[in-house]
Amino acid sequence: MGSIFSFITKLNYMCTIFLVLWLFSFSFTTTEAYDALDPTGNITIKWDIMSWTPDGYVAVVTIYNYQQFRHIQAPGWTLGWSWYKKEVIWSMVGAQATEQGDCSRYKTNIPHCCKKDPTVVDLLPGTPYNQQIANCCKGGVISSRIQDPSNAASSFQLSVGAAGTTNKTVRAPRNVTLKAPGPGYTCGPARLVRPSKFVTADQRRVTQALLTWNVTCTYSQFLAQKTPTCCVSLSSFYNDTIVNCPTCTCGCQNNITQPGSCVEADSPYLKSAIATSGKNSYAPLVQCTKHMCPIRVHWHVKLNYKDYWRVKVSIINFNYRMNYTQWNLAVQHPNFDNLTTVFSFNYQSVTPYESINDTAMLWGLKFYNDLLMQAGPLGNVQSELLFRKDKSTFTFNQGWAFPRRVYFNGDNCVMPPPDAYPWLPNSTPDTHIAKLTPVMVILISLAFLFGHA
Ligand SMILES: *[C@@H]1O[C@H](CO)[C@@H](O)[C@H](O)[C@H]1NC(C)=O
Ligand SMILES: *[C@@H]1O[C@H](CO)[C@@H](O)[C@H](O)[C@H]1NC(C)=O
Ligand SMILES: *[C@@H]1O[C@H](CO)[C@@H](O)[C@H](O)[C@H]1NC(C)=O
Ligand SMILES: *[C@@H]1O[C@H](CO)[C@@H](O)[C@H](O)[C@H]1NC(C)=O
Ligand SMILES: *[C@@H]1O[C@H](CO)[C@@H](O)[C@H](O)[C@H]1NC(C)=O
Ligand SMILES: *[C@@H]1O[C@H](CO)[C@@H](O)[C@H](O)[C@H]1NC(C)=O
Ligand SMILES: *[C@@H]1O[C@H](CO)[C@@H](O)[C@H](O)[C@H]1NC(C)=O
Ligand SMILES: *[C@@H]1O[C@H](CO)[C@@H](O)[C@H](O)[C@H]1NC(C)=O
Ligand SMILES: *[C@@H]1O[C@H](CO)[C@@H](O)[C@H](O)[C@H]1NC(C)=O
């Protein structure tokens, strides 16, 4: 009886793993803006009308990043929308429209922007004080909620003309687009919500907006880029094999159709390749590797103590055109509920599903390793994690010691195939189970469920 039970438990455990891996393999083929590790993550744009003017209104627009571990890095956000009528922007504080457009119908006072579909960007740090408002002028960079909540929002003010001048005649902007700076976000329609309330600095008075619209934008990695940007390699103290990232994970070296798609580390052309990239510098220029990913995360199972085990995590930058400032890593592993110490990285647990504490967000210590330098000898950061063993679940078998998912800056890192994971000496992976197809896994899981009913 006991052996049947343990067999079923084991089978069920393996089914879960394979089911998770199988579902995971679909995450690249769906446009559904849903992230298993941050299911409610979104960016909300709040449009507060603060006062009416003779021909329109003054509004404060704030972009709130409600994502746990995805931030907007340089060169920052770009916000676009379409006006409902013939509105114009008279002036802006804390941001600017990238194009003025055709303002020829205005004779004396010329508006800041007359385009039907304005595109707005943040101002740069160091903007004169009289052009700033709170939360502006960070070059469009917005932190993630966990990493730096005080910098997880960005604001600007605009004065709109040729618009409605009462809450009955004014119209919300339509077709809002958020680029960060590339594609990836999809924004819903503006919704009329309860007016925002503002507490004065001395906390003794509350004022409120005349009217507030909210727009919610969600991220989909599939929309952002068709190819992955990050991969995971694995190794362990108990097996000499280093499981590298799968070949061609992020692209293939192809000298014929795409000469210069990558650069050899010792190439004499490296300097000029980096220099000539200046203008269009946000397309990655990667070092030639089999995987061609700009970022590789290495997970090394380093030591085994009686009550603890130790992992070394390294992040290696292969992109010659990118210093990652304020990088972050989200990692899922069942032992994160017993994480004891994290060396030289910041740590916070992420619990998208209240009861399951298996995900960690890791990021660099300020002024020490929060800057992941461009490819080269300095282009890596490292940490070690010490886990306390929970005797009932801990094992080095079946690749248990390796992470289930890894995200770098919110982007999914491709894992090697499970059957390539380093084995324990004297153990062979149970090929019988490893070869189960997803359909069989579902059938077995169903059988298991019904067996209980
Ligand atoms: C956006 O995120 C916030 C904070 O997590 C959440 O309260 C809100 O419901 C989310 N909005 C949508 C439309 O998902
Ligand atoms: C518009 O303002 C009137 C009072 O001026 C108020 O009764 C009404 O609720 C407001 N409508 C909206 C949508 O805010
Ligand atoms: C806004 O988007 C809708 C559908 O997404 C489209 O039909 C419409 O033409 C767009 N409006 C403008 C002004 O771009
Ligand atoms: C609108 O957005 C603001 C800022 O994110 C949020 O505080 C507020 O709860 C939202 N309102 C609704 C009804 O979602
Ligand atoms: C591309 O060129 C590099 C050196 O120029 C060479 O090492 C590499 O094998 C070539 N790759 C292919 C796919 O031909
Ligand atoms: C990265 O930072 C270093 C040191 O601050 C600087 O020398 C280098 O030019 C930067 N590289 C890029 C691609 O921005
Ligand atoms: C998850 O586990 C870690 C390590 O034991 C602990 O520090 C953290 O507070 C836990 N988080 C939650 C939400 O329980
Ligand atoms: C591991 O964490 C879980 C949940 O926090 C706790 O119930 C369990 O006792 C811990 N195990 C060890 C060995 O500390
Ligand atoms: C190490 O793991 C690999 C699979 O990645 C396996 O082929 C090899 O036999 C293992 N080595 C030992 C000594 O068990």
Side-chain angles (χ1 to χ4, degrees), residues 44 46 64 66 191 193 214:
T44 298
K46 189 163 66 89
Y64 293 92
Y66 288 122
R191 287 173 302 126
V193 298
N214 274 12

Side-chain angles (χ1 to χ4, degrees), residues 274 320-323 371 373-374:
I274 297 171
Y320 287 106
R321 274 183 202 152
M322 189 71 165
N323 288 324
L371 176 68
M373 293 281 273
Q374 65 192 48

Side-chain angles (χ1 to χ4, degrees), residues 84-97:
Y84 190 87
K85 299 184 280 193
K86 285 200 153 45
E87 289 93 333
V88 293
I89 303 174
W90 280 118
S91 62
M92 292 187 87
V93 184
Q96 62 186 356

